[in-house]
C-alpha cells in the first residue's frame, strides 16, 4: 500500500495491499552452466525451456530456478495476469485460458479449488492474494479479529483498518490464511498491506514492525511449501530480499520509483509491475510506450513484468507489446 496521499488511487487489490540441494556423485561429471541470455521489456507471450510462458529474450538477466524439493522461484520477466475483482470463469474441462501467460495472481478466498486445479492443469502457476496487514469487514474470518488488533481506517476504504502486526491474534489468523493457501495448492502468496508504517495507522507501526511481520509470513509460507512476494513497501526491500521470491509493485513508473525495485531483478527475482493508465481500455500507444519505457530506463529495469490494468483489477489486461486480452470472470450478472 502506498502512502495516504496515493491510497485513493490504488486498485481494489491494493487494499485487499533456499537451500541448495547438492547431489554427490561418485563418477566425475562436468557441469556446464548456460547463462540465460535475454529477457526484454515487451511481454509477447511464448514458451520458455521450462514450459513457462515468457517474452522473447533480449539480453542478459540473472536467472533463478528451483531444484526439486525447494520453493518455487519465478523467473525474471515471467508473464502474468492479476485478477482480484471476481473469481475466474474457468470450467474444469477448459483447454485454455486467456491470456496464455505463465502466472495468475488471484484472490485466495474468491477462487475455488477447482479453478486453481484447472490453472495448474493448464500449466499455470498460481499466486494467491490476501490482505495481511489490514482488516476487511467481509472476509470469512473477519469476526476473528479483536478490537485491540485494529488501528485507523485506511484512507479511501470505509470499514478497512490497519492491523497491529505484532498481535498474536493477528498472526494466528494469518497462519490460518497461509494454511488455507497451502491446502488449496497455491504456488505462492501475495500478502498485501504490509506497509502500514508509511501511513497514519493509529498503531505506531514502524518499518521494523513490517520487516518482522514479513519474516513471520515468509516462515509460515515456507512451512506450507509456498513462495512469498513483497507488495510495494520499497523502503524495506533490502531487509527482506533474501526471504522473498518476487515483488508486486503498483505504479512505479507513474511515481518514478522503478529503480528502487531493481534489487529484485539483480537477484534473479521478478518484479510484477502494474500501471493504471487513465484511458483504459483505450490506452494510447504513446502512453503505453512511456509507461513501459519508464520501467526500463535502468540497467535491469527492462526485466520488469509490466501489465496495464483497470484499477478494478478485472479481466482486462494490456501488455507492453500492445497485445490485449480479457479473462472471463464469474460476475454477479453472469448466467
Amino acid at each position: 500500500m502506498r502512502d495516504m496521499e496515493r491510497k485513493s488511487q490504488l486498485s481494489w487489490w491494493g487494499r485487499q495491499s533456499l537451500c541448495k540441494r547438492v547431489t554427490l556423485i561418485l563418477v566425475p561429471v562436468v557441469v556446464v552452466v548456460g547463462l540465460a541470455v535475454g529477457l526484454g521489456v515487451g511481454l509477447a507471450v511464448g514458451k520458455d525451456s521450462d514450459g513457462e510462458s515468457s517474452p522473447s529474450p533480449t539480453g542478459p538477466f540473472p536467472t533463478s530456478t528451483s531444484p526439486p524439493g525447494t520453493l518455487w522461484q519465478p523467473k525474471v520477466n515471467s508473464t502474468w495476469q492479476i485478477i482480484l475483482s471476481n473469481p475466474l470463469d474457468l470450467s474444469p474441462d477448459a483447454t485454455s485460458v486467456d491470456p496464455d501467460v505463465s502466472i495468475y495472481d488471484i484472490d485466495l478466498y474468491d477462487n475455488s479449488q477447482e479453478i486453481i486445479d484447472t490453472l495448474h492443469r493448464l500449466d499455470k502457476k498460481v499466486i494467491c492474494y490476501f490482505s495481511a496487514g489490514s482488516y476487511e469487514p467481509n472476509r470469512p474470518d473477519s469476526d476473528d479479529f479483536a478490537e485491540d488488533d485494529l488501528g485507523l481506517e485506511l484512507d479511501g476504504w470505509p470499514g478497512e483498518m490497519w492491523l497491529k502486526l505484532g498481535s498474536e491474534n493477528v498472526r494466528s489468523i494469518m497462519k490460518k490464511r497461509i494454511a488455507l493457501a497451502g491446502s488449496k495448492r497455491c504456488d505462492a502468496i501475495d500478502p498485501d498491506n504490509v506497509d502500514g508504517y508509511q501511513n497514519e495507522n493509529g498503531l505506531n507501526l514502524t518499518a521494523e514492525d513490517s520487516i518482522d511481520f514479513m519474516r513471520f509470513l515468509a516462515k509460515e509460507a515456507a512451512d506450507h511449501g509456498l513462495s512469498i512476494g513483497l507488495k510495494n513497501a520499497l523502503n524495506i526491500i533490502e531487509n527482506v530480499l533474501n526471504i522473498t521470491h518476487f515483488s508486486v509493485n503498483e505504479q512505479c513508473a507513474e511515481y518514478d520509483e522503478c529503480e528502487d525495485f531493481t534489487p529484485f531483478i539483480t537477484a534473479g527475482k521478478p518484479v510484477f509491475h502494474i500501471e493504471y493508465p487513465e484511458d483504459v481500455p483505450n490506452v494510447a500507444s504513446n502512453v503505453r510506450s512511456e509507461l513501459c519505457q519508464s520501467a526500463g530506463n535502468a540497467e535491469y529495469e527492462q526485466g520488469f513484468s509490466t501489465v496495464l490494468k483497470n484499477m478494478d483489477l478485472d479481466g482486462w489486461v494490456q501488455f507492453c507489446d500492445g497485445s490485449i486480452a480479457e479473462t472471463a470472470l464469474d460476475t454477479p450478472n453472469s448466467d
Side-chain angles (χ1 to χ4, degrees), residues 108-109 130-131 141 145 173-181:
L108 170 63
Y109 288 107
F130 63 91
S131 183
D141 56 5
F145 291 96
I173 294 169
M174 296 309 149
K175 283 183 179 182
K176 294 174 184 177
R177 292 185 177 186
I178 294 171
L180 176 62

Side-chain angles (χ1 to χ4, degrees), residues 166-303:
S167 163
E168 288 302 318
N169 186 52
V170 168
R171 295 192 176 201
S172 175
I173 294 169
M174 296 309 149
K175 283 183 179 182
K176 294 174 184 177
R177 292 185 177 186
I178 294 171
L180 176 62
S183 70
K184 294 180 81 166
R185 296 187 288 279
C186 305
D187 298 289
I189 58 171
D190 174 12
D192 197 9
N193 295 315
V194 298
D195 55 354
Y197 67 91
Q198 291 182 308
N199 299 264
E200 290 188 24
N201 56 74
L203 297 165
N204 297 316
L205 295 174
T206 66
E208 187 56 44
D209 290 325
S210 290
I211 293 167
D212 185 68
F213 191 55
M214 280 299 300
R215 289 171 179 159
F216 156 75
L217 294 174
K219 181 184 182 303
E220 290 298 318
D223 287 347
H224 291 277
L226 299 164
S227 302
I228 186 172
L230 176 68
K231 172 73 178 298
N232 294 323
L234 59 86
N235 310 86
I236 65 171
I237 289 175
E238 291 184 3
N239 304 94
V240 301
L241 182 61
N242 65 323
I243 60 169
T244 53
H245 301 87
F246 55 89
S247 164
V248 180
N249 162 261
E250 294 173 295
Q251 300 167 283
C252 73
E254 180 176 347
Y255 294 114
D256 194 26
E257 296 171 341
C258 291
E259 189 170 0
D260 293 317
F261 293 88
T262 57
F264 278 95
I265 303 298
T266 305
K269 302 177 181 183
V271 176
F272 297 121
H273 167 223
I274 309 169
E275 291 292 332
Y276 306 110
E278 292 184 358
D279 51 352
V280 164
N282 302 305
V283 183
S285 59
N286 64 310
V287 173
R288 170 173 52 83
S289 296
E290 182 178 352
L291 290 173
C292 290
Q293 289 170 5
S294 294
N297 59 6
E299 181 180 1
Y300 285 114
E301 289 173 14
Q302 57 189 309

Side-chain angles (χ1 to χ4, degrees), residues 57-172:
T58 59
F61 297 100
T63 59
S64 290
T65 56
S66 301
T70 63
L71 301 178
W72 170 55
Q73 174 59 67
K75 296 180 179 179
V76 170
N77 223 352
S78 295
T79 54
W80 76 306
Q81 163 71 308
I82 168 83
I83 299 171
L84 299 175
S85 62
N86 295 94
L88 277 61
D89 183 6
L90 190 63
S91 64
D93 59 352
T95 58
S96 64
V97 60
D98 191 26
D100 184 23
V101 292
S102 62
I103 300 166
Y104 273 75
D105 190 335
I106 60 177
D107 188 86
L108 170 63
Y109 288 107
D110 291 348
N111 292 274
S112 67
Q113 183 68 64
E114 190 175 77
I115 289 173
I116 294 173
D117 290 346
T118 301
L119 286 171
H120 282 153
R121 183 174 56 77
L122 295 174
D123 198 27
K124 312 304 178 188
K125 294 291 188 180
V126 179
I127 299 174
C128 290
Y129 167 94
F130 63 91
S131 183
S134 72
Y135 162 86
E136 302 162 292
N138 298 317
R139 292 300 191 177
D141 56 5
S142 294
D143 290 342
D144 295 341
F145 291 96
E147 185 176 350
D148 289 346
D149 295 330
L150 310 180
L152 292 177
E153 192 171 75
L154 274 68
D155 186 37
W157 305 110
E160 185 171 356
M161 293 174 245
W162 295 106
L163 290 174
K164 185 185 297 183
L165 303 184
S167 163
E168 288 302 318
N169 186 52
V170 168
R171 295 192 176 201
S172 175

